[in-house]
């Protein structure tokens, strides 16, 4: 896309020189176009662009590189579902071909073409994505949910006795990495250093290259090991897939799966937990059963998708989108955040979106996120298990004190300090719970007076015969089926064991235990 392609939307005022830094109008570039990377509030800017230009708006990236941003829900869907008109191959991008995008451009790591499924087309796309989808299809999600539960228990055990925690650095950044290392086949690689390296590489700091190299070395070791000795993990299935991926292709797709799933799920976990902590109505619905954790996750995907925008799609031919003339070689940003709040789809942003999965948090079309069910499982089980362990968890700061790191691509919560009553560690194999199971009553039935415990009895030693006998030691001929009244002749009959109802059994199955 060239600056001239924005001419139909410009005015004489747009041609005036841009304001100097520090001016209230700072953030405007040539032609009066907004620089996305200079916006302090991208959400507000998106709405301003929607009002000015409609569902597709012209903007500028770093170095005043022109780009379209697609704001409308229907327009985003049309773009990602029309591979004959739009692709993800940046080699046809006009600014890149004309030298406007330098090799050191800040967004080149996101936009530069790579031989991976998310950038490929046609038969090559089918081959590479087929291998990824085939490997993911071998995941046993019931076993995965059990592993997520155990990992949550291990992580919560690290801070549950302290009565306070910082959930981003201590939980939401750790759980996805622990689970992804297990899925990929390198559980021994999971540690604090790998988590820090992944976060650093994604932030693009001065040490990002070294951190990226650290992660790639781990993936290279995994690829070589599984090439020699395949096992039951995603790396092995990628290697043994009929698509016959090379070591480089295997390593690059492992990197793609690891980074995309890690960043998206970390943001999703943080967003769901934050909403639970700051929105009393949301938490009340969750605690009262009007909303399940999976429904809460979907609501969060509507309100705060893990990725605000995705770089990028490119026009393969001259076309029209959202009332704008799109030229061959123009670049377009797929934008889930503004699309999910499109007034044509959500006229009332406060309305619940329960049961509606038409959000664009995971994209769509040929390049739809293949690992979205993994992310959903981590969020569903992780949030549920955490809240079961720490039911009284509360935000330990004012909401206004929360800080975010924002970029065009995503918004990441920096810290989420919480407090709660200290809890003892739990066996990782146990069902998450927040209180000990009450002692079973052996001599009381509904409708009779509840026996009163004698105060001195606890202080004086009792003979063995006087101690209450375990329920298991008494004959219980009627324990299999519930009885409305005690059996005649028996003075002490334990309450019958009642089988869980259909809904309770389903919840236990869904939560992975």
């Amino acid at each position: 896309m060239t600056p001239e392609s924005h001419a139909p939307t410009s005015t004489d005022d747009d041609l005036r020189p841009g304001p100097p830094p520090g001016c209230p109008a700072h953030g405007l570039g040539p032609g009066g176009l907004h620089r996305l990377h200079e916006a302090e509030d991208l959400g507000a800017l998106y709405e301003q662009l929607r009002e000015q230009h409609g569902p597709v708006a012209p903007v500028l990236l770093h170095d005043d590189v022109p780009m379209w941003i697609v704001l409308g829900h229907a327009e985003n869907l049309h773009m990602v579902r029309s591979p004959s008109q739009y692709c993800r191959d940046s080699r046809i991008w006009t600014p890149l071909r004309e030298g406007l995008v330098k090799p050191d451009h800040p967004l080149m790591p996101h936009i530069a073409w790579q031989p991976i499924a998310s950038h490929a087309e046609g038969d090559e796309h089918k081959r590479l994505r087929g291998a990824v989808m085939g490997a993911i299809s071998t995941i046993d999600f019931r076993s995965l949910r059990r592993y997520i539960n155990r990992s949550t228990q291990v992580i919560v055990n690290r801070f549950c006795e302290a009565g306070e925690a910082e959930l981003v650095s201590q939980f939401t950044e750790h759980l996805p990495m622990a689970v992804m290392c297990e899925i990929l086949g390198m559980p021994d690689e999971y540690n604090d250093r790998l988590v820090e390296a992944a976060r650093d590489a994604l932030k693009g700091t001065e040490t990002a290259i070294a951190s990226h190299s650290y992660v790639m070395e781990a993936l290279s070791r995994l690829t070589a090991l599984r090439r020699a000795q395949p096992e039951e993990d995603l790396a092995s299935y990628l290697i043994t897939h009929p698509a016959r991926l090379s070591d480089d292709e295997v390593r690059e797709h492992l990197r793609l799966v690891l980074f995309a799933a890690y960043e998206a799920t970390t943001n999703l976990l943080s967003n769901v937990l934050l909403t639970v902590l700051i929105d009393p109505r949301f938490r009340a619905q969750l605690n009262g059963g009007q909303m399940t954790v999976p429904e809460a996750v979907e609501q969060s995907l509507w309100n705060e998708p893990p990725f605000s925008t995705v770089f990028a799609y490119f026009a393969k031919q001259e076309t029209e989108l959202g009332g704008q003339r799109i030229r061959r070689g123009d670049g377009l940003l797929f934008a889930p955040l503004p699309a999910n709040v499109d007034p044509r789809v959500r006229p009332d942003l406060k309305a619940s979106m329960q049961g509606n999965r038409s959000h664009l948090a995971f994209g769509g079309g040929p390049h739809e996120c293949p690992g979205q069910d993994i992310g959903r499982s981590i969020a569903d089980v992780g949030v549920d298990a955490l809240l079961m362990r720490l039911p009284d968890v509360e935000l330990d700061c004012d909401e206004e004190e929360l800080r975010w790191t924002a970029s065009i691509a995503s918004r990441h919560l920096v810290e989420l300090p919480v407090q709660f009553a200290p809890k003892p560690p739990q066996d990782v194999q146990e069902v998450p719970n927040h209180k000990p199971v009450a002692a079973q009553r052996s001599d009381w039935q509904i409708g009779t007076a509840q026996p009163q415990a004698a105060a001195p009895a606890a202080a004086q030693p009792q003979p063995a015969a006087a101690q209450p006998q375990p329920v298991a030691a008494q004959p219980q001929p009627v324990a299999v089926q519930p009885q409305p009244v005690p059996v005649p002749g028996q003075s002490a009959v334990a309450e019958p064991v009642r089988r869980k109802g259909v809904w309770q059994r389903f919840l236990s199955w869904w939560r992975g235990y």
Side-chain angles (χ1 to χ4, degrees):
M1 180 173 62
T2 60
E4 288 79 7
S5 63
H6 298 313
T9 63
S10 64
T11 66
D12 292 340
D13 291 337
D14 296 331
L15 302 178
R16 297 174 183 172
C23 175
H26 187 60
L28 297 180
L33 302 181
H34 288 272
R35 296 185 175 105
L36 285 186
H37 57 286
E38 293 184 355
E40 295 184 359
D41 186 345
L42 276 173
L45 176 58
Y46 291 151
E47 294 310 306
Q48 181 181 346
L49 291 172
R50 197 195 309 272
E51 183 178 347
Q52 292 176 348
H53 302 283
V56 179
V59 293
L60 296 173
L61 303 180
H62 304 75
D63 298 337
D64 289 339
V65 174
M67 180 73 76
W68 296 100
I69 183 165
V70 186
L71 307 168
H73 189 277
E75 289 73 20
N76 271 288
L77 271 181
H78 174 76
M79 179 176 66
V80 299
R81 292 177 176 177
S82 303
S84 62
Q85 294 178 307
Y86 306 95
C87 69
R88 299 204 60 196
D89 188 343
S90 62
R91 292 175 295 184
I92 70 170
W93 189 24
T94 299
L96 184 63
R97 297 177 63 186
E98 293 181 350
L100 297 177
V101 184
K102 305 302 181 184
D104 60 348
H105 192 278
L107 299 179
M108 278 302 286
H110 301 278
I111 296 178
W113 184 85
Q114 302 172 57
I116 54 179
S118 59
H119 290 172
E121 284 192 274
D123 292 340
E124 184 66 2
H125 175 261
K126 292 180 181 178
R127 181 180 78 89
L128 296 174
R129 186 176 174 89
V132 174
M133 294 297 294
I136 291 177
S137 70
T138 64
I139 295 175
D140 178 358
F141 276 86
R142 180 164 173 77
S143 297
L144 176 63
R145 298 177 78 88
R146 290 182 182 277
Y147 187 83
I148 297 168
N149 174 59
R150 291 196 296 271
S151 298
T152 302
Q153 297 284 63
V154 170
I155 294 172
V156 173
N157 280 348
R158 297 173 185 170
F159 56 78
C160 63
E161 294 179 288
E164 60 182 13
E166 196 287 285
L167 290 184
V168 173
S169 62
Q170 293 183 264
F171 182 73
T172 67
E173 290 184 349
H174 276 266
L175 181 59
M177 183 60 74
V179 176
M180 291 310 301
C181 284
E182 171 70 15
I183 290 174
L184 266 57
M186 54 180 205
D188 294 339
E189 295 280 359
Y190 165 66
N191 54 32
D192 291 344
R193 176 70 182 94
L194 189 64
V195 172
E196 293 170 3
R199 290 300 317 146
D200 190 50
L202 290 166
K203 289 176 182 177
T205 64
E206 294 180 356
T207 57
I209 295 178
S211 296
H212 184 270
S213 297
Y214 179 87
V215 177
M216 292 306 294
E217 288 171 4
L219 296 177
S220 296
R221 291 194 297 270
L222 174 64
T223 302
L225 179 62
R226 290 296 178 259
R227 180 72 73 178
Q229 185 179 353
E231 293 190 5
E232 300 292 322
D233 52 51
L234 192 140
S236 299
Y237 286 118
L238 273 180
I239 291 171
T240 59
H241 192 272
R244 303 178 63 84
L245 271 61
S246 66
D247 282 357
D248 287 342
E249 289 174 330
V250 170
R251 184 173 55 252
E252 287 302 312
H253 283 87
L254 290 175
R255 176 186 64 83
L256 176 66
V257 171
L258 177 63
F259 277 121
Y262 176 66
E263 173 72 359
T265 310
T266 295
N267 289 344
L268 178 58
L269 278 169
S270 298
N271 295 338
V272 174
L273 288 172
L274 176 61
T275 304
V276 169
L277 292 171
I278 67 175
D279 189 339
R281 293 182 304 171
F282 194 87
R283 189 164 188 170
Q285 286 183 314
L286 205 57
N287 293 339
Q290 295 96 336
M291 179 184 291
T292 63
V293 172
E295 288 173 332
V297 169
E298 294 303 319
Q299 183 71 42
S300 179
L301 289 170
W302 272 104
N303 297 338
E304 187 80 38
F307 291 111
S308 307
T309 60
V310 176
F311 298 90
Y313 283 77
F314 306 94
K316 300 167 68 174
Q317 61 188 28
E318 186 163 329
T319 184
E320 182 272 341
L321 184 66
Q324 301 284 10
R325 178 188 177 189
I326 309 298
R327 297 186 179 184
R328 184 182 185 278
D330 281 3
L332 304 96
L333 294 178
F334 170 65
L337 179 60
N340 281 356
V341 295
D342 186 341
R344 297 173 297 177
V345 176
R346 295 181 68 185
D348 181 6
L349 295 180
K350 296 181 180 180
S352 172
M353 301 301 288
Q354 285 182 247
N356 189 336
R357 282 195 174 189
S358 60
H359 57 74
L360 301 183
F362 295 114
H367 295 290
E368 184 175 9
C369 176
Q372 56 185 282
D373 288 337
I374 298 175
R376 282 189 171 102
S377 296
I378 295 174
D380 293 349
V381 179
V383 170
D384 188 38
L386 176 71
L387 295 179
M388 286 294 294
R389 289 287 304 276
L390 310 174
D392 57 343
V393 62
E394 295 180 352
L395 191 64
D396 197 19
C397 69
D398 292 334
E399 185 179 344
E400 295 75 18
E401 297 178 22
L402 296 172
R403 296 181 297 111
W404 304 77
T405 55
S407 67
I408 302 174
S410 65
R411 199 167 75 118
H412 186 79
L413 186 62
V414 176
E415 293 179 337
L416 188 59
V418 297
Q419 61 179 355
F420 47 87
K423 305 292 192 303
Q426 287 189 10
D427 189 319
V428 298
Q429 301 294 338
E430 290 183 2
V431 176
N433 60 80
H434 51 80
K435 58 183 178 181
V437 178
Q440 197 169 19
R441 297 170 300 204
S442 59
D443 55 356
W444 177 71
Q445 294 291 325
I446 296 176
T448 65
Q450 187 169 357
Q452 300 295 323
Q460 299 178 2
Q462 297 290 332
Q467 297 293 333
Q469 296 299 316
V471 176
Q474 299 179 5
Q476 301 294 337
V478 295
V480 176
Q481 296 184 1
Q483 297 292 332
V485 295
V487 178
Q490 273 190 302
S491 58
V493 179
E495 284 190 56
V497 177
R498 300 183 184 275
R499 190 166 179 260
K500 290 182 178 180
V502 175
W503 177 246
Q504 284 75 19
R505 296 201 305 274
F506 171 76
L507 285 179
S508 296
W509 174 86
W510 179 261
R511 290 168 176 165
Y513 44 76

